[in-house]
Amino acid sequence: MSRTIPLNREAMAYHNPVMEAELLESLAPLEDGLIVDATFGGGGHSRAILRGLPSARIVAIDRDSDVEVHVPKDPRICFVRGKFSQLIEILGCRNTNGLTADGSDSDFGGIAAVVFDLGVSSHQLDTPSRGFSFRQRGPLDMRMSSDAPLTADVIVNTWPESELERVIRSYGEEPNAVRISREIIAARPITDTIQLADVIASSVPAAVRRRRHPARRTFQAFRIAVNSELEEIQMGLDAAIEVLRPGGRIAVMAYHSLEDRIVRQRFARRTAGCDCPPDLPICVCGHTAQLRSLTSRGITPSSQEIEANPRARSARLRVVERIAP
Ligand SMILES: C[S@@+](CC[C@H](N)C(=O)[O-])C[C@H]1O[C@@H](n2cnc3c(N)ncnc32)[C@H](O)[C@@H]1O
């Protein structure tokens, strides 16, 4: 029987959780385990887990201090502010209220699942003072954690043209990276998000302006650079694999191709076993599979969910299971 966890409407306004039912289904066999919600946000996924798996306990992590007001007052969950790349240190530290596998500093043997819901929350995107939105005027900030040293302002107003171009091309997959970086340099100093969006819009061909917002890819690129998002995913996934118990699961929701590619490649490397040439009579590489994929092509949201929450549109959920060593 599930306990009643109030649906906290304020937290839903903060962020509407994506593929809640699909996530719960993938975690269902873990019942009473210790689950890490590595991207707490508005706590929608944590609340769903507490409702659907009443014997589970949760260590919730987020790098943004704005989320703390949404942590449910429930002894089964504790919140730690930090980056998921620091998962191992976080799980070992005492301030998780003994919610480590056995309350000790070093034994992580009992982690049943780690959940990652990547990217930014609706709250972060929709709060102009955070500087993530190209539609609302705000400072050039884009930090998920307000105490991080690098801001979008530093990138936009001080980085050399070649670095801007590299970031816009590789993190934004923006075909007009050369023009955009040149125009940013020419327009310096750029003081806010709307000025930046206008500079970008005026530097791309008219045909591009008629499609999706021309600043979308460049803003994504700067956000990824400010928060070292891709490095965070790599380190977070590696740490999650390390702390997982046999039979434990990792569930990751990615929202664009760069995120999903890292997830796919990270998992592929650990799901593959021996990679010796087939003509060798015995294995000499020593590689054994650590993970089994449970969602070969990933799960995408239903059309009803996308209609109700268009931000779910690009989500893809991948789930893997730790194989006994
Ligand atoms: C898409 S939201 C998560 C929403 C959440 N699942 C819910 O249901 O409300 C992503 C959250 O992850 C956090 N985040 C992103 N990267 C992080 C990282 N490397 N370490 C910790 N938190 C991170 C963001 O601050 C944001 O609050």
Side-chain angles (χ1 to χ4, degrees):
M1 197 179 65
S2 68
R3 281 208 232 170
T4 313
I5 304 289
L7 263 175
N8 198 331
R9 309 231 166 260
E10 244 178 74
M12 283 182 65
Y14 189 102
H15 185 86
N16 201 348
V18 172
M19 283 194 277
E20 206 179 272
E22 293 82 349
L23 176 68
L24 267 190
E25 197 177 321
S26 74
L27 301 179
L30 307 168
E31 274 180 358
D32 56 357
L34 179 58
I35 294 175
V36 177
D37 180 352
T39 48
F40 179 78
H45 286 145
S46 280
R47 269 191 190 75
I49 294 167
L50 292 175
R51 271 198 308 274
L53 307 176
S55 305
R57 293 159 303 144
I58 298 179
V59 174
I61 299 171
D62 204 293
R63 66 199 295 188
D64 188 344
S65 57
D66 280 8
V67 310
E68 290 186 43
V69 292
H70 298 299
V71 178
K73 293 187 179 34
D74 185 309
R76 295 173 295 158
I77 183 167
C78 80
F79 174 79
V80 182
R81 186 172 168 221
K83 297 192 280 189
F84 53 61
S85 56
Q86 302 161 329
L87 191 61
I88 293 176
E89 296 90 306
I90 288 172
L91 289 175
C93 103
R94 292 278 178 201
N95 69 3
T96 55
N97 280 339
L99 281 185
T100 49
D102 64 357
S104 77
D105 278 354
S106 57
D107 182 358
F108 304 134
I111 302 301
V114 186
V115 176
F116 296 88
D117 182 13
L118 299 173
V120 277
S121 64
S122 298
H123 167 81
Q124 288 165 329
L125 272 178
D126 297 340
T127 305
S129 62
R130 302 297 298 266
F132 287 104
S133 172
F134 45 78
R135 295 185 196 281
Q136 304 181 78
R137 194 175 299 279
L140 290 170
D141 191 318
M142 302 195 192
R143 288 171 299 171
M144 290 187 196
S145 18
S146 51
D147 46 7
L150 181 62
T151 63
D153 189 19
V154 173
I155 296 179
V156 168
N157 285 309
T158 71
W159 280 17
E161 190 173 333
S162 58
E163 269 301 278
L164 289 181
E165 188 193 321
R166 182 189 64 79
V167 164
I168 297 170
R169 186 190 308 285
S170 48
Y171 296 164
E173 298 184 292
E174 169 62 70
N176 298 294
V178 172
R179 290 164 176 242
I180 294 172
S181 41
R182 192 172 53 221
E183 293 306 316
I184 288 177
I185 299 279
R188 280 175 175 173
I190 297 178
T191 53
D192 64 44
T193 48
I194 294 296
Q195 190 192 348
L196 176 61
D198 288 346
V199 169
I200 297 166
S202 62
S203 54
V204 300
V208 174
R209 266 176 267 148
R210 283 193 289 274
R211 286 188 232 123
R212 297 183 77 178
H213 196 295
R216 191 177 57 87
R217 288 171 180 272
T218 303
F219 269 60
Q220 171 185 299
F222 289 159
R223 190 198 92 197
I224 289 176
V226 165
N227 298 289
S228 305
E229 287 181 41
L230 304 184
E231 295 83 351
E232 277 290 313
I233 299 172
Q234 288 168 359
M235 290 195 277
L237 290 178
D238 286 351
I241 293 167
E242 204 169 310
V243 301
L244 217 56
R245 66 164 160 74
R249 295 182 175 188
I250 301 175
V252 192
M253 278 181 220
Y255 291 85
H256 55 78
S257 57
L258 293 174
E259 288 176 346
D260 192 49
R261 192 177 312 145
I262 294 177
V263 177
R264 239 185 319 114
Q265 289 175 347
R266 231 52 193 180
F267 287 165
R269 199 180 308 161
R270 312 287 191 113
T271 46
C274 163
D275 57 10
C276 291
D279 51 337
L280 277 189
I282 54 161
C283 168
V284 292
C285 72
H287 293 164
T288 52
Q290 287 177 295
L291 301 173
R292 180 168 75 95
S293 172
L294 302 179
T295 50
S296 62
R297 306 185 57 173
I299 301 171
T300 51
S302 65
S303 47
Q304 293 94 312
E305 176 165 6
I306 294 171
E307 200 178 319
N309 178 15
R311 282 187 178 158
R313 171 178 70 233
S314 52
R316 186 173 293 270
L317 169 65
R318 295 186 187 273
V319 185
V320 289
E321 186 174 77
R322 185 84 159 87
I323 297 171

